[in-house]
Amino acid sequence: LTEGLGIVFATFLAFFEIRRALRAGDPLALTTDLLEVGLVAMESLVFATLLTRLDLRRGDPVYRWGSLIFKIASLALCAGGLLLIENPLLTDDAILGGPVFNALIPAYLLPSLLAAGLALVERQARPRFYSLSSAILSLLLFSTYVGLEIRRLFAGPELALWRDFTQGEHWAYSVALLVTGILLLGLGLARNNRFARLASAAYLVLAVLKVFV
């Protein structure tokens, strides 16, 4: 009971500090944005990773169920919040920050790295689909970050799909697909990771289709 309460209080502390910092001191504000959803997703991924590590050390059911709850929350926040509801391609909300250092980093890049770290931890003792789902989430977030960052460099702070795409931007997407595929192939060969090799094949095929079709 005390372990569970400790986790709950730590969760609410981080959550309301994020809300207070971004909502001008009002943690109960009814609004949200891409940056806030990204930070909350990062919080959830960090808790999921920490509790999974603690469970591996002690075999504690509180940590096991807590890691599962935070894993589900992470998937919901990233897939539903970042990739759909708050996706700037669909909302046309201006991206805070400059062309390179902007809100896309805490919203997509850092969560993708945390999801990759969670996948590595889950490979040690969790069923295979646990680590596979985290790896897929990491890849989706990273790909989204790369695509949105390219869009930010060419189109400015507003990234909506209905705005014009330049020829240089189209070529940049092709290069990004090719480079990502090569990196995944290298990772798959170096670590003998079948998922990375299959993902690299998908990216290389997409790059070819993007250029020729």
Side-chain angles (χ1 to χ4, degrees), residues 10-207:
T11 303
F12 280 126
L13 172 63
F15 173 76
F16 282 115
E17 285 291 354
I18 292 172
R19 293 283 296 167
R20 182 181 179 279
L22 298 181
R23 302 275 79 85
D26 181 10
L28 300 180
L30 299 179
T31 58
T32 188
D33 57 18
L34 176 68
L35 178 58
E36 181 178 345
V37 176
L39 291 175
V40 175
M42 288 174 58
E43 174 198 354
S44 186
L45 287 165
V46 167
F47 273 95
T49 305
L50 290 176
L51 291 176
T52 301
R53 283 187 173 276
L54 290 173
D55 182 46
L56 293 177
R57 291 182 180 180
R58 295 183 51 186
D60 192 317
V62 173
Y63 297 150
R64 187 173 305 114
W65 282 101
S67 65
L68 176 60
I69 292 171
F70 280 107
K71 171 67 175 286
I72 295 174
S74 301
L75 291 174
L77 286 166
C78 294
L82 295 176
L83 298 179
L84 293 177
I85 298 175
E86 293 296 334
N87 191 327
L89 289 177
L90 304 177
T91 64
D92 201 28
D93 293 337
I95 301 299
L96 300 176
V100 177
F101 298 100
N102 50 52
L104 296 175
I105 294 177
Y108 293 100
L109 179 59
L110 296 182
S112 75
L113 298 178
L114 290 173
L118 177 59
L120 293 176
V121 174
E122 289 173 336
R123 286 186 63 184
Q124 301 178 31
R126 294 286 190 262
R128 186 172 182 273
F129 69 88
Y130 270 66
S131 60
L132 187 60
S133 62
S134 296
I136 292 173
L137 178 64
S138 174
L139 197 56
L140 286 174
L141 291 173
F142 179 77
S143 301
T144 304
Y145 168 74
V146 172
L148 291 176
E149 182 58 36
I150 291 173
R151 182 78 172 140
R152 172 65 180 85
L153 291 173
F154 282 92
E158 288 82 20
L159 315 181
L161 287 171
W162 51 85
R163 298 182 182 274
D164 292 336
F165 287 78
T166 64
Q167 185 177 6
E169 184 178 353
H170 280 295
W171 280 107
Y173 292 130
S174 302
V175 173
L177 286 170
L178 183 62
V179 171
T180 303
I182 293 174
L183 291 176
L184 285 171
L185 179 60
L187 177 64
L189 294 175
R191 301 182 63 89
N192 193 26
N193 189 305
R194 184 169 179 266
F195 171 77
R197 295 196 300 271
L198 292 175
S200 72
Y203 273 84
L204 293 176
V205 169
L206 286 174

